């Protein structure tokens, strides 16, 4: 689980559906409302998501995947919480030496 820095959205990985699920959070009551799931359509290489990290800027989400041997980079809309796929780095196709988590788009 990961909460956005402003406390407005919560994200959870779906190990069995290869997805990242999004909930909006009422900042007054704390009530969560399910928003959407970004499910791997086979092009993201997000098989077996294991760990999720939201960048300090709040604009990127990084998902480490065990079965896909990949790191999936998602763009995050800070207003709606919506996630969109930006890039995937797959072991053997590219070498990840570092990831800057605070870089603005």
């Amino acid at each position: 689980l990961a909460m956005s820095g402003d406390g407005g959205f919560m994200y959870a990985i779906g190990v069995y559906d290869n997805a990242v699920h999004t909930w909006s959070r009422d900042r007054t009551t704390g009530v969560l409302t399910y928003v959407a799931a970004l499910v791997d359509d086979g092009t993201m290489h997000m098989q077996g998501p294991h760990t999720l990290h939201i960048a300090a800027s709040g604009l990127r989400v990084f998902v480490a995947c065990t079965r896909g041997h990949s790191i999936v980079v998602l763009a995050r809309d800070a207003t709606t919480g919506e996630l969109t796929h930006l890039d995937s780095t797959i072991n053997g196709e590219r070498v990840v030496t570092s990831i800057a988590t605070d870089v603005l788009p």
Side-chain angles (χ1 to χ4, degrees), residues 10-51:
M10 186 179 78
Y11 299 90
I13 54 175
V15 175
Y16 298 107
D17 59 356
N18 299 322
V20 177
H21 297 271
T22 304
W23 286 266
S24 64
R25 179 180 168 269
D26 184 295
R27 291 182 188 106
T28 303
T29 65
V31 172
L32 297 173
T33 303
Y34 188 75
V35 175
L38 178 64
V39 180
D40 185 0
D41 60 2
T43 63
M44 292 190 286
H45 304 281
M46 191 166 64
Q47 293 86 34
H50 181 267
T51 306

Side-chain angles (χ1 to χ4, degrees), residues 76-99:
R76 179 182 168 271
D77 184 302
T79 303
T80 66
E82 179 182 10
L83 301 174
T84 54
H85 179 243
L86 288 179
D87 194 20
S88 297
T89 300
I90 305 158
N91 188 23
E93 290 185 20
R94 286 190 246 171
V95 176
V96 179
T97 57
S98 67
I99 295 177

